[in-house]
């Protein structure tokens, strides 16, 4: 399944200087067909009532699945999110850690679909998400970007 063998340290380094590192998301474990990332809920990631913000849950889900998807394509390709759905099932209070595990539902040539489960420290399901990714050729994406900038 994995086409790129990036270590957890490399994945975390790759996400430096982005929203991922700003929020404190860190890749924590990887298996034969899954990738995990963790987030400790703090003032950067909670809503005013002191619980994990639903948008941050979706961001965590998209982060772990997108990087997993990226590791499942050859070097000539990238993945980009096309749709995310997240059902928030249980609140996570400030100070607690949530773990997101992404597993593939489908790894196609042009589309990937990932299931992401977010669990609290007691292993209770807090959020269930699904992310669809488009697999795109790097060269095609770069060319489209150049054409857009020329307009």
């Amino acid at each position: 399944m994995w086409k790129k063998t990036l270590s957890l340290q490399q994945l975390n380094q790759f996400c430096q200087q982005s929203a991922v590192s700003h929020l404190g998301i860190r890749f924590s474990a990887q298996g034969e067909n899954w990738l995990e990332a963790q987030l400790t809920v703090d003032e950067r990631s909670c809503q005013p009532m002191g619980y994990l913000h639903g948008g941050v849950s979706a961001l965590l889900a998209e982060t772990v699945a997108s990087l997993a998807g990226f590791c499942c394509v050859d070097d000539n390709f990238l993945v980009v999110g096309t749709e995310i759905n997240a059902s928030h099932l249980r609140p996570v209070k400030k100070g607690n850690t949530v773990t997101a595990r992404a597993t593939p539902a489908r790894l196609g040539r042009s589309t990937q679909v990932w299931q992401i489960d977010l669990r609290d420290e007691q292993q209770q399901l807090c959020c269930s998400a699904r992310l669809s990714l488009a697999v795109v050729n790097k060269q095609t994406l770069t060319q489209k970007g150049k054409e857009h900038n020329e307009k």
Side-chain angles (χ1 to χ4, degrees):
M1 177 175 110
W2 305 116
K3 307 261 178 157
K4 294 178 184 77
T5 54
L6 299 175
S7 69
L8 297 174
Q9 181 180 5
Q10 288 171 313
L11 289 170
N12 286 317
Q13 185 64 36
F14 184 65
C15 293
Q16 289 300 305
Q17 306 304 315
S18 71
V20 176
S21 64
H22 173 73
L23 289 170
I25 296 170
R26 63 205 173 281
F27 291 89
S28 54
Q30 184 177 22
E32 214 171 284
N33 70 339
W34 54 268
L35 180 63
E36 282 185 355
Q38 292 185 323
L39 169 74
T40 300
V41 181
D42 63 19
E43 64 281 347
R44 297 170 294 176
S45 56
C46 69
Q47 34 92 316
M49 283 72 70
Y51 293 99
L52 178 62
H53 191 290
V56 175
S57 294
L59 186 141
L60 174 58
E62 184 157 353
T63 296
V64 69
S66 290
L67 266 286
F70 174 72
C71 290
C72 290
V73 296
D74 292 326
D75 288 335
N76 295 330
F77 295 90
L78 296 172
V79 294
V80 293
T82 57
E83 180 185 20
I84 188 163
N85 173 286
S87 297
H88 308 292
L89 307 171
R90 178 182 303 277
V92 180
K93 194 150 181 65
K94 188 175 179 180
N96 291 307
T97 298
V98 63
T99 301
R101 178 179 282 202
T103 55
R106 174 167 166 64
L107 296 176
R109 287 184 303 172
S110 62
T111 304
Q112 296 180 2
V113 178
W114 290 83
Q115 174 63 40
I116 311 99
D117 289 337
L118 281 66
R119 296 185 181 275
D120 63 16
E121 295 169 357
Q122 290 74 44
Q123 297 304 307
Q124 297 178 98
L125 188 62
C126 305
C127 178
S128 178
R130 187 189 71 242
L131 176 69
S132 297
L133 298 170
V135 179
V136 295
N137 185 292
K138 271 187 193 179
Q139 196 170 17
T140 302
L141 192 61
T142 302
Q143 185 60 36
K144 285 184 180 182
K146 286 180 185 177
E147 291 170 4
H148 178 74
N149 289 336
E150 291 171 359
K151 290 183 181 180

